[in-house]
Amino acid sequence: MGGKQKTLAILTGTALAAGLTSPAFGSTAAHSLALRTATTGSGKSVVEWNRELITLLSDPKAQPATVHPTRSFALLQAAEYDAVVSITRAGPAYMFSVSAPRGARADAAADQAAHDVLVALYPAKRAGVDQRLSSQLSAIPNGPGKQAGMNVGAEVARRLISLRSHDGSSAKPPGFRPGDKAGDYRPTPPDFPTPVFTNWGSVKPFVLASGRQFRPAAPPAVSGAAYATALNEVKSLGSKTSTTRTPDQTAAAKFWAAAPVWNVWNQVAQGLVTSQNASLEKAVKVFARLDLSLADTAIAMYDAKYAYRVWRPVTAIRLGGSHYNPSIVGDPDWTPLLPTAPDPSYPGAHGALSQAAATTLAGFYGARHHLAVTSKGVPRTFASFQDAATEAWLSRIWSGQHTSLDNRVGQQLGTQVADFVARHL
C-alpha cells in the first residue's frame, strides 16, 4: 500500500471509529446518499468569511511569520466545505463527513465551522470573529435545524484542526546557511533578510502525498547558454533604471507585488461567487478547491526552492564579473525595480501560485472568462484567467525578481497541483 493510500486508510478507520458517517477524502460513497431537506443559503456568507480571514492576516502579528498564510485559507475553506456536504451530501467529503439530522441547516454549519477555525488559528482575534458569527447567524431563523447545523460545523472544525495540529507547520525552521559557489542562493540586498520558510516544503500537504510529489527537474546550470539568456532578459527588463521596460510593464510589476498573490486570487473568487449569486454548495467548492490548491502549491514550491537553492537575479547579475558564465556581463551596482523576496529563485512563487489559481477557477468558470483583478484598489482587466496568471509571472521578470526559467517551472508546478486537487474534490 502506497504512502498516500496508507494514510487515507488510517484516517478512514479513525473517522469510522469516531462515529463519522463516510470515509475520508475522495470517497464517492456520499453520492449514493439521498440529499437532505435543508435550506442551504447563498454563497455570500462564504465570501464574508474569506474576507474576514484576509482582514485578520493584514495584522502582521496575527500569526508567526514562519506559518504560511495559505495554510489558514485551506483550513477555513476545507472546514466550510466539509460542514456543508455533511448535510447536503452534494459531493464527496474532503476529509470528514459528520452525522447530521434531517433538516440541519447547511448555512449554519458553514458559519460555525468558519468561526471555529478562525478562533482556533487566531485566538487573540476572537471578539471580532464572534461578532462576525453573530451577524451571520442572525439571518438564519432559530430552530432545531439551525442548532443542528451549528453542531455539525463545530464538529467538522474541531476534527480538522486536530488533524492538522501535527502537520509540521509549527516546527522551528532550521537555520539557513548560504552557499558560496556560483548559483548558490544567498540573502539579497539591500537588507539581506534571512529566509523564513526553509522547512515549509516538509509540511504535510492537504491533498498531495508529499511536497516532493511534483518536484520539478533540476534547473539549467548557471554556466550555460539557457541561463545566460534568461538572466540577461531580467537584467534589461527588471532593472530599476530599465529603458526597455514599458510603462505598462512597470505598472503590472507593481500591481502584482502590491498584495500577497494568494489574497488577490481569493478576491477574484469572491467577485465571481458574488456576481454570479452562487449557491452555498458552489461557493464552498470553489473556495475549497482554490485554497487547497494554493496551500499545496506553496508546500511543493518551497520543497523545490530549498532542494535546488538557486540564487536570485540580483546576486547573479552583481557577481557576473566573477566570469561564471562568459555570456553574462556583471554589474555590481545593478538594482531590481522592486526588493527581492527572501527565498531562492527556482521555481517562481507568482508563476506557481497564480497558475494553480487560474487552472482551478477556469475549471469552474471556463477558460475564456473575462475578469477584473484588483490589488490595493487598482484594477486590471483580462480576457481569461490564464491571461491574468501569465501577467502575474511576467511581472516578476519586469520587477527583477525571477528569470523565465523560474516562471516556466512554476507554471508547470501550479498546473500539476491544481489538476491533482481537482481530481480529488
Side-chain angles (χ1 to χ4, degrees):
M1 182 179 290
K4 181 68 172 178
Q5 287 73 25
K6 183 176 180 181
T7 300
L8 292 177
I10 292 171
L11 288 171
T12 299
T14 302
L16 293 175
L20 301 178
T21 61
S22 76
F25 179 84
S27 168
T28 58
H31 290 297
S32 65
L33 298 177
L35 294 177
R36 304 298 178 95
T37 55
T39 302
T40 57
S42 78
K44 292 181 180 179
S45 64
V46 184
V47 170
E48 291 303 316
W49 284 110
N50 190 268
R51 287 174 176 158
E52 182 76 14
L53 176 55
I54 290 176
T55 298
L56 292 174
L57 289 169
S58 67
D59 178 358
K61 297 180 180 179
Q63 67 185 27
T66 55
V67 176
H68 202 274
T70 53
R71 176 180 183 268
S72 300
F73 282 100
L75 283 169
L76 171 67
Q77 305 306 160
E80 286 191 87
Y81 175 83
D82 272 0
V84 169
V85 299
S86 287
I87 294 171
T88 66
R89 308 298 183 185
Y94 157 64
M95 190 59 69
F96 299 117
S97 185
V98 175
S99 179
R102 187 175 298 277
R105 295 279 306 219
D107 45 3
D111 288 333
Q112 190 69 50
H115 168 273
D116 289 7
V117 165
L118 294 184
V119 166
L121 294 176
Y122 309 104
K125 305 289 187 179
R126 177 159 197 153
V129 178
D130 283 352
Q131 185 175 8
R132 168 66 60 192
L133 178 64
S134 178
S135 175
Q136 295 295 110
L137 291 178
S138 66
I140 302 173
N142 291 328
K146 178 178 180 178
Q147 187 59 54
M150 292 167 63
N151 292 344
V152 167
E155 182 65 7
V156 166
R158 185 185 70 80
R159 292 186 181 279
L160 187 57
I161 289 293
S162 177
L163 179 67
R164 296 297 305 187
S165 63
H166 302 292
D167 61 6
S169 60
S170 61
K172 182 179 179 180
F176 180 79
R177 182 173 297 177
D180 57 6
K181 298 182 179 61
D184 288 350
Y185 175 74
R186 59 209 74 182
T188 53
D191 299 326
F192 302 93
T194 300
V196 176
F197 296 110
T198 53
N199 72 326
W200 202 255
S202 62
V203 169
K204 179 179 174 58
F206 285 82
V207 184
L208 301 184
S210 77
R212 302 184 300 277
Q213 183 169 337
F214 294 115
R215 183 185 289 178
V222 298
S223 58
Y227 186 77
T229 299
L231 187 69
N232 284 329
E233 180 184 35
V234 181
K235 184 181 178 184
S236 174
L237 289 172
S239 168
K240 190 169 186 177
T241 58
S242 173
T243 58
T244 57
R245 186 179 59 242
T246 69
D248 187 64
Q249 289 170 342
T250 300
K254 294 178 178 180
F255 174 89
W256 287 102
V261 71
W262 48 88
N263 282 11
V264 173
W265 284 105
N266 269 277
Q267 288 166 335
V268 169
Q270 291 172 13
L272 292 165
V273 167
T274 301
S275 65
Q276 299 201 3
N277 296 315
S279 67
L280 179 63
E281 292 97 329
K282 175 72 173 287
V284 293
K285 190 167 186 177
V286 168
F287 278 104
R289 193 181 290 177
L290 172 65
D291 285 308
L292 290 169
S293 294
L294 288 173
D296 275 8
T297 297
I299 292 169
M301 175 188 73
Y302 281 110
D303 166 77
K305 280 181 178 289
Y306 287 101
Y308 298 121
R309 301 188 174 208
V310 176
W311 63 11
R312 285 283 186 156
V314 63
T315 307
I317 294 168
R318 290 190 176 191
L319 293 180
S322 64
H323 308 298
Y324 65 86
N325 189 315
S327 297
I328 295 171
V329 177
D331 180 352
D333 298 318
W334 188 88
T335 300
L337 174 65
L338 301 174
T340 301
D343 53 43
S345 199
Y346 180 93
H350 275 60
L353 293 166
S354 291
Q355 190 64 36
T359 301
T360 298
L361 294 176
F364 284 105
Y365 296 100
R368 300 303 299 174
H369 188 96
H370 186 273
L371 70 153
V373 182
T374 302
S375 179
K376 295 293 185 180
V378 177
R380 289 180 73 84
T381 58
F382 303 92
S384 69
F385 297 109
Q386 186 58 61
D387 285 353
T390 298
E391 185 182 86
W393 71 256
L394 284 170
S395 78
R396 306 309 279 171
I397 295 175
W398 303 330
S399 62
Q401 306 297 298
H402 285 290
T403 69
S404 60
L405 300 172
D406 305 331
N407 291 327
R408 280 197 293 269
V409 79
Q411 282 190 294
Q412 173 188 310
L413 181 61
T415 300
Q416 289 173 316
V417 173
D419 285 345
F420 186 82
V421 171
R423 290 195 298 270
H424 289 76
L425 187 64

